[in-house]
Amino acid sequence: MRITKLRKQILVSLALIALSILAVPAVKAQCGASARKGTALAPELKSLQEPAAQNEEDLSDRAGSPEARTEEKNDSIVSILGFWKIVAYSGGVLNDVGFEQFSAGGTELVNDVGAFNAGNNFCMGAWKQVGPRSYDIVHPFFLFDGTNAIGVSIEKAHIVVSRDGKRFKGTWTQDNYDLSGNLTPGTHFDGTITGTRIAPGSEYPFPLPL
């Protein structure tokens, strides 16, 4: 009798575990889109504003000066390739935080969380070099209404890597389209983006999100 009762208890426990797994909602991969469609910031981040711009001459696109000609050879060995912590702002307010991988084949992969309130998202894009330390990026991702894909958002960025290869800075834009390619009114966004390189042997670039 005890063995039979124990078996019943085990079966009931297993059934409850199975039901709890099935009840977990599916994760929606939309690459922080909810944060960029106006979702409120997490309360502790509402007052967080974009850091004041610093005088970082090595992040500029300057050309033609004697210094620029002297540094041209060094610029040719600086690359976007590798792994970065990224932080994006729109209207001076935190918009997105994540990690970005640039690969040699001209593709990039992003894992982001919006303003720490958009879940764990993964999406891909493409990049090309357009000048010394200067790169253009296109980054599409799906938009969802619940579990239904209702459109595509196309994010574009222009970034410049610092001369030491450890940081980048740039601008980004985002426009949303329905599945037929029609621009959705009122869904244009733009802002600034910064990156800090993450590499083995180097200290992790805390704090987050700065």
Side-chain angles (χ1 to χ4, degrees), residues 138-155:
V138 60
H139 188 89
F141 53 90
F142 284 107
L143 300 172
F144 290 87
D145 180 8
T147 58
N148 299 316
I150 60 171
V152 172
S153 188
I154 299 178
E155 183 180 300

Side-chain angles (χ1 to χ4, degrees), residues 118-136:
N120 191 37
N121 307 291
F122 289 87
C123 38
M124 299 174 290
W127 63 269
K128 70 174 181 179
Q129 187 166 2
V130 294
R133 302 178 291 109
S134 179
Y135 301 83
D136 283 345

Side-chain angles (χ1 to χ4, degrees), residues 66-81:
E67 293 85 357
R69 289 193 294 269
T70 300
E71 295 166 340
E72 187 173 344
K73 289 184 178 180
N74 292 333
D75 286 349
S76 65
I77 63 175
V78 174
S79 172
I80 192 66
L81 296 179

